[in-house]
Amino acid sequence: MTITTDHSGQADPETHRAPHHRGAALGAALAGPLVSTQWLCDHLGSDGLVVVDATVVAATGADGRVGYVSGAGQYRDGHVPGAVFADLLDPFSDPAGRFPFTRPGAEAFASAAAALGVEAGTTVVIYDAAVGQWASRLWWLFRSFGHDRVAVLDGGVTKWSGEDRPLESGQVEPQPADFVPVAELPGFWSDRDDVAAVLSGDRAGTLVCGTPPRDFAARHLPGSVSAPAVRLVDRATNAFLPRAELRELFADVLSSSDPIVAYCGGGIAAAADALALALLGRDDVTVYDGSLAEWASDPEAPLASL
């Protein structure tokens, strides 16, 4: 069901005290990178919790090419009660970047997070209306800037609404907060030189591609393992598959102890692979931010096909 709500953006001061301590308690309750719909239902409305809709929508242009537009309209039509909207096109990507969805710098990310009402002690739960790749991308961004009180809603709004849980329409105005910029942490991102070093054998690494099977067949980095984001989830609910099934899907990746570099078309589906691998206990995963958008822009860069 959908409930139309008027969001004035005014907060009761009694419910907005000591956010760091409230957020810390909620953050301690996170059992991993995912929370269930029941977990969110039980905690919805808790002090120190910010729920974020990170939906991005695919759109076909006049030239027939598929691009992406903000999911703000879909969000306003129906979202988890109290959820705020995060635009992954801008500001949670760098609009001046050479390639789509280039990650923002520390200052820009901090400003965007603060505008959502997120600060140091806030617990953040992110979802989308797709298979979780957009939520995973924002989850990865938060962690790469040192905010680890963050999780993805398993199944997103598809599972939430499929269980007849309530939805709101309209816009929720966030309560601006103070998110202090943190330099990007090491161990989250790979760049073109890192990938080239893996391909040349100068650096150990396993390349994992999150693009759909048809796209992988058309082009991929040589030696890559295919792990499409669309196959990480249950088709009916968009919830991530059980651990045993994920282990089977990633069997060729998990058979090696080499560090893992996840990539896709633009660093989005790769984040879903990174989340799935985190569920399986791998903490040695980086995301190639430029992914194929950057790699294929060089006509001399090697690509393979099936």
Side-chain angles (χ1 to χ4, degrees), residues 144-167:
S144 73
F145 287 109
H147 193 86
D148 56 5
R149 302 182 191 282
V150 59
V152 169
L153 176 62
D154 198 14
V157 75
T158 298
K159 191 171 190 293
W160 179 272
S161 59
E163 296 169 345
D164 293 324
R165 300 184 189 274
L167 294 172

Side-chain angles (χ1 to χ4, degrees), residues 102-190:
T102 299
R103 67 190 188 274
E107 294 281 349
F109 179 84
S111 177
L116 292 182
V118 178
E119 53 194 0
T122 304
T123 295
V124 183
V125 173
I126 310 166
Y127 72 88
D128 62 38
V131 296
Q133 75 273 34
W134 304 107
S136 296
R137 170 71 177 195
L138 189 53
W139 168 80
W140 195 255
L141 281 169
F142 266 104
R143 295 177 66 244
S144 73
F145 287 109
H147 193 86
D148 56 5
R149 302 182 191 282
V150 59
V152 169
L153 176 62
D154 198 14
V157 75
T158 298
K159 191 171 190 293
W160 179 272
S161 59
E163 296 169 345
D164 293 324
R165 300 184 189 274
L167 294 172
E168 286 179 341
S169 61
Q171 184 86 20
V172 176
E173 295 301 329
Q175 294 293 316
D178 182 18
F179 192 99
V180 178
V182 175
E184 189 176 275
L185 302 179
F188 283 90
W189 304 100
S190 285

Side-chain angles (χ1 to χ4, degrees), residues 260-284:
I260 300 165
V261 178
Y263 75 95
C264 55
I268 305 299
D273 276 348
L275 189 150
L277 287 161
L279 291 171
L280 299 177
R282 293 297 293 259
D283 59 1
D284 57 347

Side-chain angles (χ1 to χ4, degrees), residues 9-32:
Q10 298 302 311
D12 179 350
E14 287 299 308
T15 64
H16 284 263
R17 296 178 304 182
H20 179 80
H21 296 98
R22 290 195 313 273
L26 272 176
L30 297 177

Side-chain angles (χ1 to χ4, degrees), residues 7-80:
H7 299 286
S8 67
Q10 298 302 311
D12 179 350
E14 287 299 308
T15 64
H16 284 263
R17 296 178 304 182
H20 179 80
H21 296 98
R22 290 195 313 273
L26 272 176
L30 297 177
L34 292 177
V35 297
S36 68
T37 51
Q38 187 60 55
W39 187 98
L40 183 57
C41 187
D42 291 343
H43 293 86
L44 202 61
S46 297
D47 295 337
L49 173 67
V50 171
V51 182
V52 179
D53 186 318
T55 299
V56 175
V57 179
T60 303
D63 59 359
R65 299 179 65 180
V66 176
Y68 295 96
V69 298
S70 168
Q74 189 166 329
Y75 157 82
R76 287 190 292 269
D77 288 341
H79 55 80
V80 172

Side-chain angles (χ1 to χ4, degrees), residues 222-233:
S224 298
V225 177
S226 176
V230 294
R231 292 190 176 173
L232 302 177
V233 300

Side-chain angles (χ1 to χ4, degrees), residues 191-287:
D191 59 21
R192 189 187 184 286
D193 289 343
D194 297 323
V195 172
V198 172
L199 290 178
S200 68
D202 292 332
R203 178 173 178 172
T206 300
L207 300 173
V208 178
C209 182
T211 62
R214 182 180 298 180
D215 293 348
F216 180 83
R219 63 174 191 173
H220 56 267
L221 297 174
S224 298
V225 177
S226 176
V230 294
R231 292 190 176 173
L232 302 177
V233 300
D234 179 272
R235 291 184 179 183
T237 66
N238 282 348
F240 276 82
L241 298 174
R243 304 292 200 277
E245 293 183 39
L246 289 175
R247 286 192 188 93
E248 184 176 349
L249 195 153
F250 285 102
D252 290 341
V253 178
L254 299 175
S255 65
S256 171
S257 60
D258 288 345
I260 300 165
V261 178
Y263 75 95
C264 55
I268 305 299
D273 276 348
L275 189 150
L277 287 161
L279 291 171
L280 299 177
R282 293 297 293 259
D283 59 1
D284 57 347
V285 181
T286 57
V287 170

